[in-house]
Amino acid sequence: MRVVVTGGLGAVGSRVVQQLRSQDHDAVVASRRTGVDVATGEGLEAMLEDAEAVVHTADSASPRARSLREITVGGTRRVAEAAARAPRRPHLVTLSIVGCAEVPYVYYRAKAAADEAVLASEASATVVAATQFHSLAAYFARLGRIGPVVLGLRGMRIQPVEIDWVAQRLAEIAVGQAPSDAVRGPDLTGPASFDVATISRLVAEHHGRRAPRPVALPAPGRTLGGFAGGAILPGPDAEVGGLPFAEWLAAQPVPLRGR
Ligand SMILES: NC(=O)c1ccc[n+]([C@@H]2O[C@H](COP(=O)([O-])OP(=O)(O)OC[C@H]3O[C@@H](n4cnc5c(N)ncnc54)[C@H](OP(=O)(O)O)[C@@H]3O)[C@@H](O)[C@H]2O)c1
């Protein structure tokens, strides 16, 4: 099957491409480096000419309002509209974040608006959401560490997921049965949830360091309160899969880099 992967050179998109090619699908990368800009629509229509499915993972790496408006929201809407008009009406699969509609954090608001744009479109589409990738959970644990302590929001838990498994599910859903209109697909999450202290301890041990002492910060307001209050945790119907955090971590280099 011919599958266009927007953001197909990015962290999750490149893995979707790998998954599809390993199943002998014709995976085509659509990103600015291959002449497709979802913020302007440049190259999009031509790229979707023969597409039977589209996995949309292109997104802005910047939290600036303009990028969020033009790429995260506008780009997703443009991809949905182009998919609806494309000759073979490809099955569009988009990737969102579990709980993004519940937390008024600026990036999450943009992701929720992007989901709504897809669901309101004429495309045959499946909106899949994932919890934070293991690498992001580990990044936040490093970010919150100050010397012997680690800062975290009181009560906050996170249920991270393996990025390769998310990519595998996106690929499977894309080549699977397409819905007649735009629907919400599964929430994807990893096998266990953690508090900040536990993730920080595991990350410290990975680096051969002593576990930091957790310092719990208050979480006032709807944004911090949403994060701390469990809004980004998966519900009981979420699909659980992929490597547990500790197994993923054991396979990572020391020191950990990036997010
Ligand atoms: N990180 C997490 O924990 C997590 C969890 C759940 C869901 N997600 C979602 O996963 C998605 C992908 O994340 P990622 O970490 O794979 O991102 P990434 O590594 O930054 O990749 C995004 C790709 O999008 C392309 N891109 C950016 N602007 C573009 C534009 N205007 N037109 C076309 N392509 C463009 C970039 O390639 P070019 O520079 O070549 O254009 C880049 O390779 C995001 O939507 C994110 O919300 C992430």
Side-chain angles (χ1 to χ4, degrees):
M1 191 183 272
R2 187 173 176 83
V3 187
V4 169
V5 183
T6 73
L9 300 171
V12 70
S14 60
R15 290 168 164 92
V16 173
V17 168
Q18 261 172 27
Q19 285 284 339
L20 288 164
R21 289 184 180 158
S22 74
Q23 308 285 315
D24 288 332
H25 292 292
D26 178 14
V28 187
V29 172
S31 80
R32 288 168 299 191
R33 278 169 282 175
T34 65
V36 175
D37 189 340
V38 300
T40 61
E42 182 193 340
L44 194 54
E45 202 171 309
M47 188 65 97
L48 297 192
E49 185 79 9
D50 300 321
E52 294 164 88
V54 179
V55 181
H56 175 56
T57 71
D59 203 353
S60 166
S62 154
R64 286 204 322 256
R66 184 170 171 196
S67 305
L68 295 178
R69 196 172 58 242
E70 293 179 359
I71 303 175
T72 308
V73 186
T76 303
R77 177 180 295 116
R78 224 164 268 115
V79 169
E81 286 168 357
R85 280 194 313 266
R88 303 177 83 165
R89 196 164 179 260
H91 179 200
L92 169 65
V93 178
T94 63
L95 179 58
S96 186
I97 301 172
V98 169
C100 64
E102 311 302 319
V103 183
Y105 166 49
V106 59
Y107 179 57
Y108 280 23
R109 281 210 309 249
K111 292 295 290 181
D115 293 352
E116 291 307 323
V118 174
L119 293 169
S121 76
E122 305 276 300
S124 158
T126 306
V127 177
V128 176
T131 54
Q132 292 64 40
F133 300 145
H134 288 328
S135 58
L136 190 63
Y139 173 74
F140 283 127
R142 299 194 320 278
L143 199 67
R145 181 161 184 163
I146 303 174
V149 304
V150 62
L151 307 178
L153 296 177
R154 181 171 296 128
M156 177 157 170
R157 295 187 74 80
I158 184 169
Q159 189 158 336
V161 63
E162 187 199 7
I163 189 170
D164 292 275
W165 179 69
V166 171
Q168 178 193 323
R169 291 296 295 124
L170 291 172
E172 287 167 355
I173 293 166
V175 301
Q177 182 69 42
S180 55
D181 50 12
V183 299
R184 282 196 192 274
D187 285 355
L188 306 177
T189 192
S193 75
F194 300 90
D195 57 18
V196 174
T198 306
I199 294 212
S200 301
R201 175 176 56 74
L202 292 170
V203 168
E205 285 168 358
H206 183 68
H207 290 90
R209 297 173 69 183
R210 258 226 298 251
R213 185 167 52 80
V215 173
L217 302 174
R222 286 178 52 222
T223 301
L224 295 182
F227 280 119
I232 61 168
L233 288 172
D237 296 334
E239 246 186 67
V240 177
L243 283 181
F245 181 77
E247 274 180 50
W248 168 84
L249 186 60
Q252 303 308 305
V254 176
L256 287 172
R257 286 211 182 80
R259 27 186 316 167

